[in-house]
């Protein structure tokens, strides 16, 4: 079994719950507010590390209190933080989240996450080997992802790219990653095509998540792996839980179908509590 290396954002989520969404120029009263660790990279690292050992995170935080909270939280969740940078005179990333009507709206301010550059990341990858899995998302610079993919190809390291939030993806990156895991909306934007037809073009590589419905991929035929229905408290981080768990299952050499099923199950747990990481499951929960 290899290592899982998550390269991505680490942030603090500032979460407001409301029963009314304000129009432009309008002020409304919310019902509650809390801060909690987030960032798609850190969420995926925590999701993986609750299910497996040997999970590393490569990322950056600011030299502020949020930065310390982010690092402490990663360590408390079994994530190896030796490759996390602390950026002088910079704030940690924040995500400004509104929870409304069983769904979320998110604005991310990357701050220190912009310093997750190719120059800072590539030297840290030299200690990893063929067979390890790198997991990335779109909250760090595009150039970093491109450079890491090239490095990974050269060193036979597998790459799972979760292209969230959506931004354009070069065809060569798409061709070179081992797995691509957009949600339904991101898939349609990336391929400018219906999900089923995109899946057929990328068998066993493209895995599209469909929320509570589960996930789909193509493997000689269309494989629909059903999700698990749970009472929804907060959907934030469900996709991240899916990705972290999928990396763990593939690292355990499960078949793609079994791995997606495992990831669906992990994702279903995550919606049952507040906060991106609040209800991410541990291995004993899934057993
Ligand atoms: O995927 C959920 C995450 O997206 C939140 O934790 C927030 O930090 C945003 O980056």
């Amino acid at each position: 079994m290899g290592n899982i290396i998550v390269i991505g954002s680490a942030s603090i989520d500032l979460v407001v719950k409301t029963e009314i969404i304000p129009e432009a120029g309008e002020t409304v009263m919310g019902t509650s507010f809390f801060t909690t660790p987030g960032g798609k990279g850190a969420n995926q690292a925590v999701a993986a590390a609750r299910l497996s050992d040997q999970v590393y995170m490569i990322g950056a935080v600011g030299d502020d209190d949020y930065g310390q909270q982010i690092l402490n939280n990663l360590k408390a969740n079994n994530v190896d933080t030796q490759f996390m940078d602390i950026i002088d005179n910079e704030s940690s990333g924040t995500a400004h989240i509104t929870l409304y009507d069983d769904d979320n709206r998110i604005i991310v301010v990357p701050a220190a996450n912009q310093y997750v550059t190719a120059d800072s990341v590539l030297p840290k990858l030299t200690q990893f080997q063929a067979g390890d899995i790198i997991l990335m998302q779109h909250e760090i610079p595009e150039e970093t992802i491109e450079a890491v993919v090239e490095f990974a190809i050269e060193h036979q390291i597998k790459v799972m790219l979760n292209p969230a939030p959506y931004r354009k993806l070069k065809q060569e990156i798409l061709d070179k990653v081992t797995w691509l895991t957009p949600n339904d909306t991101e898939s349609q934007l990336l391929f400018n095509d219906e999900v089923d037809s995109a899946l057929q073009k990328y068998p066993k590589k493209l895995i599209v998540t469909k929320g509570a419905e589960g996930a789909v991929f193509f493997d000689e035929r269309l494989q629909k792996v059903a999700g698990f229905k749970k009472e929804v408290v907060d959907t934030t981080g469900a996709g991240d839980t899916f990705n972290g768990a999928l990396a763990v299952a593939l690292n355990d050499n499960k078949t793609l179908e079994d791995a997606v099923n495992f990831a669906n199950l992990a994702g279903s747990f995550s919606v049952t509590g507040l906060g991106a990481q609040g209800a991410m499951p541990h291995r004993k929960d899934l057993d």
Side-chain angles (χ1 to χ4, degrees):
M1 205 177 70
N3 299 296
I4 296 175
I5 310 114
V6 181
I7 305 173
S9 59
S11 303
I12 289 289
D13 291 350
L14 298 110
V15 188
V16 170
K17 284 183 85 176
T18 181
E19 283 165 9
I20 314 164
I21 289 287
E23 300 291 335
E26 189 188 7
T27 302
V28 300
M29 305 303 247
T31 51
S32 64
F33 170 77
F34 60 94
T35 62
T36 189
K40 292 186 192 301
N43 291 344
Q44 294 182 16
V46 168
R50 286 191 185 171
L51 299 170
S52 154
D53 290 329
Q54 291 173 285
V55 177
Y56 295 79
M57 167 126 198
I58 300 179
V61 296
D63 58 351
D64 51 6
D65 288 348
Y66 281 170
Q68 279 313 312
Q69 284 178 37
I70 291 166
L71 293 177
N72 291 342
N73 177 64
L74 288 170
K75 286 178 199 156
N77 278 286
N78 193 31
V79 178
D80 190 315
T81 59
Q82 63 177 296
F83 300 120
M84 290 293 293
D85 289 334
I86 300 177
I87 310 297
D88 287 338
N89 303 314
E90 183 55 89
S91 316
S92 295
T94 48
H96 304 258
I97 303 182
T98 304
L99 294 183
Y100 168 74
D101 196 20
D102 278 354
D103 219 331
N104 57 47
R105 291 165 168 79
I106 306 180
I107 299 174
V108 172
V109 180
N113 293 309
Q114 295 174 97
Y115 293 80
V116 186
T117 59
D119 284 352
S120 76
V121 172
L122 293 189
K124 295 170 178 139
L125 288 177
T126 51
Q127 83 158 60
F128 297 103
Q129 303 128 38
D132 288 346
I133 296 179
I134 288 175
L135 176 53
M136 294 189 286
Q137 324 71 32
H138 275 177
E139 288 183 341
I140 55 171
E142 189 180 356
E143 298 72 29
T144 310
I145 289 172
E146 291 171 10
V148 168
V149 168
E150 291 302 334
F151 180 98
I153 289 267
E154 209 176 303
H155 294 83
Q156 294 171 286
I157 297 175
K158 297 173 208 163
V159 176
M160 183 183 296
L161 177 60
N162 172 224
Y166 166 75
R167 73 180 170 215
K168 276 193 179 149
L169 196 58
K170 289 187 182 150
Q171 183 66 42
E172 62 195 85
I173 297 302
L174 225 164
D175 291 340
K176 287 176 181 170
V177 297
T178 322
W179 304 284
L180 189 76
T181 60
N183 66 20
D184 207 87
T185 313
E186 290 152 0
S187 175
Q188 293 184 45
L189 290 168
L190 280 170
F191 298 104
N192 199 18
D193 201 354
E194 292 303 314
V195 170
D196 287 5
S197 121
L199 288 168
Q200 293 191 32
K201 289 185 195 138
Y202 297 97
K204 294 192 200 168
K205 172 188 288 224
L206 180 60
I207 299 136
V208 178
T209 57
K210 290 173 164 273
E213 281 175 46
V216 285
F217 66 94
F218 193 83
D219 171 9
E220 287 156 15
R221 64 185 178 84
L222 194 64
Q223 299 276 6
K224 295 185 179 177
V225 188
F228 297 81
K229 295 260 185 310
K230 291 252 165 63
E231 186 98 357
V232 174
V233 174
D234 180 3
T235 57
T236 313
D240 297 329
T241 309
F242 177 94
N243 278 277
L246 186 66
V248 169
L250 291 167
N251 195 35
D252 285 349
N253 290 320
K254 284 193 199 299
T255 64
L256 189 52
E257 187 177 356
D258 286 350
V260 171
N261 191 45
F262 180 82
N264 278 344
L265 183 61
S268 75
F269 271 77
S270 81
V271 304
T272 60
L274 270 184
Q277 300 172 15
M280 281 176 178
H282 293 82
R283 178 69 77 158
K284 63 176 165 33
D285 301 317
L286 302 189
D287 288 346

